[in-house]
């Protein structure tokens, strides 16, 4: 939506400035847990985007917010982390002690005759986020905590099937790591990232936002758009990221946004509204023909609907 890899999508800085000038509130919500809010603030700054830290909501923050809401710190327990520095930085901010994370990269459990992996009996939550150094030690440690420590909670930052580490191909996402822990514990995790309602509940409760006046803008159907449709928000799919128009209109797709556009540049493109209105009937006809379950898909200037 905002960038591809380490490059800002052309025109986006101007769009954000215009939205702010019109008094629109913006919040940047990401399922990527490898960075904390402070880490994302640095990335925004490096790309020349003036975004306050309080407008950034990552799934690493969502995991910490969930522990804070459930008063986990009061239990005196620790968290075991499969994930990267973003989760650890957010846990530091709320004073929750933790084990694992990058420190367990490269570890190999003892697996000779009679060997076992010792684990901390005071771990009360296992947090599974995207981890480029996932290994068997981490999987075994996590399953021991969940299976053996009474009441230990299994928390997933997200269950995304794939992610985009590079622009050359799709890479296995956090769903693969969560799946490994589900497979050896038989437990379903509490998911705190999109499309879970936790982040929108937090925003509405803390900031007094009205769901009916919020539009979720995203490039993924199964996380961004589902996050909006499941939680009472208007939705705008942009084709500047991972979802193509072909995928949107395919018979296999069952997730329908309220609107879609090439990018958020369409908010202010001269003549965009007229162009999109002209195409709307054609698009709707294609969707009706492709699948009966979709009543309407309109490609139009979403900004005028906000």
């Amino acid at each position: 939506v905002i960038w591809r890899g380490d490059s800002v999508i052309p025109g986006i800085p101007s769009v954000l400035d215009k939205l702010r000038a019109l008094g629109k509130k913006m919040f940047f919500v990401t399922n990527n847990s490898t960075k904390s809010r402070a880490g994302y603030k640095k990335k925004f700054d490096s790309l020349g985007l003036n975004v306050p830290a309080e407008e950034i909501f990552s799934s690493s923050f969502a995991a910490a917010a969930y522990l804070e809401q459930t008063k986990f710190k009061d239990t005196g327990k620790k968290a075991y982390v499969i994930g990267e520095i973003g989760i650890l930085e957010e846990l530091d901010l709320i004073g929750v002690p933790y084990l694992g994370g990058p420190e367990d990269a490269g570890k190999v459990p003892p697996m000779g005759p009679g060997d076992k992996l010792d684990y901390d009996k005071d771990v009360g939550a296992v947090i599974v986020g995207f981890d480029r150094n996932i290994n068997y030690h981490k999987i075994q440690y996590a399953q021991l905590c969940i299976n053996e420590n009474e009441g230990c909670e299994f928390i997933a930052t997200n269950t995304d099937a794939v992610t985009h580490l590079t622009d050359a191909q799709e890479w296995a996402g956090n769903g693969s790591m969560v799946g490994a822990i589900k497979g050896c514990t038989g437990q379903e995790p509490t998911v705190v990232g999109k499309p879970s309602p936790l982040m929108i509940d937090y925003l509405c409760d803390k900031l007094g936002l009205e769901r009916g006046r919020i539009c979720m803008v995203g490039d993924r159907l199964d996380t961004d758009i589902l996050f909006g449709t499941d939680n009472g928000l208007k939705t705008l799919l942009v084709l500047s990221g991972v979802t193509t128009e072909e995928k949107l209109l395919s018979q296999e797709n069952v997730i329908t946004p309220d609107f879609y556009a090439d990018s958020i540049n369409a908010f202010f493109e001269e003549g965009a509204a007229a162009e999109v209105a002209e195409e709307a009937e054609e698009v709707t006809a294609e969707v009706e023909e492709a699948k009966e379950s979709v009543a309407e898909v309109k490609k139009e200037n979403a900004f005028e609907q906000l």
Side-chain angles (χ1 to χ4, degrees), residues 46-306:
S46 71
L47 295 173
L49 298 170
N50 182 24
V51 174
E54 56 268 23
E55 291 182 355
I56 302 169
F57 291 85
S58 63
S59 62
S60 53
F61 166 74
Y66 174 77
L67 293 181
E68 194 168 36
Q69 288 175 348
T70 56
K71 302 188 183 304
F72 180 81
K73 184 179 178 181
D74 294 348
T75 68
K77 299 287 188 179
K78 306 170 187 175
Y80 180 72
V81 177
I82 293 178
E84 302 188 14
I85 189 66
I87 297 173
L88 307 189
E89 289 179 348
E90 294 293 350
L91 293 180
D92 282 335
L93 292 176
I94 63 170
V96 168
Y98 54 80
L99 307 167
E103 285 191 0
D104 283 356
K107 287 187 178 179
V108 178
M111 291 180 283
D115 282 338
K116 64 177 183 177
L117 178 63
D118 292 326
Y119 64 97
D120 195 318
K121 306 298 192 298
D122 287 329
V123 170
V126 171
I127 303 172
V128 181
F130 186 72
D131 191 331
R132 283 166 283 199
N133 292 296
I134 187 75
N135 58 39
Y136 191 61
H137 172 93
K138 295 181 182 183
I139 294 171
Q140 173 66 355
Y141 202 105
Q143 80 85 8
L144 287 170
C145 291
I146 293 170
N147 286 336
E148 303 296 333
N149 289 352
E150 185 177 356
C152 183
E153 189 161 9
F154 175 18
I155 301 166
T157 59
N158 68 82
T159 56
D160 293 359
V162 295
T163 188
H164 291 79
L165 297 179
T166 70
D167 58 4
Q169 62 184 186
E170 291 185 331
W171 297 76
N174 196 46
S176 62
M177 292 137 205
V178 174
I181 307 305
K182 285 173 61 175
C184 59
T185 64
Q187 301 295 317
E188 289 291 330
T190 296
V191 181
V192 296
K194 299 175 291 186
S196 161
L198 187 140
M199 283 197 275
I200 192 63
D201 288 347
Y202 183 92
L203 283 168
C204 290
D205 292 345
K206 294 288 186 180
L207 302 174
L209 304 180
E210 299 177 34
R211 291 175 191 248
R213 299 196 63 190
I214 300 173
C215 183
M216 177 64 199
V217 180
D219 68 326
R220 297 183 69 131
L221 290 164
D222 59 346
T223 55
D224 301 325
I225 302 307
L226 196 60
F227 177 68
T229 58
D230 282 358
N231 294 294
L233 316 179
K234 287 292 186 182
T235 55
L236 167 66
L237 176 75
V238 290
L239 304 178
S240 54
V242 303
T243 304
T244 63
E245 190 171 40
E246 180 181 7
K247 181 176 181 179
L248 170 64
L249 302 178
S250 70
Q251 290 181 320
E252 292 75 23
N253 176 42
V254 296
I255 303 169
T256 309
D258 293 298
F259 314 101
Y260 79 98
D262 290 332
S263 75
I264 63 171
N265 284 306
F267 286 171
F268 297 103
E269 284 177 352
E270 186 175 353
E275 178 185 344
V276 170
E278 184 178 333
E279 295 177 359
E281 291 186 9
E282 295 178 14
V283 172
T284 302
E286 289 179 24
V287 176
E288 291 282 3
E289 184 177 343
K291 54 181 182 176
E292 294 180 358
S293 62
V294 177
E296 182 181 31
V297 173
K298 296 181 290 184
K299 185 179 182 183
E300 63 183 68
N301 187 332
F303 177 73
E304 292 184 356
Q305 304 295 321
L306 301 181

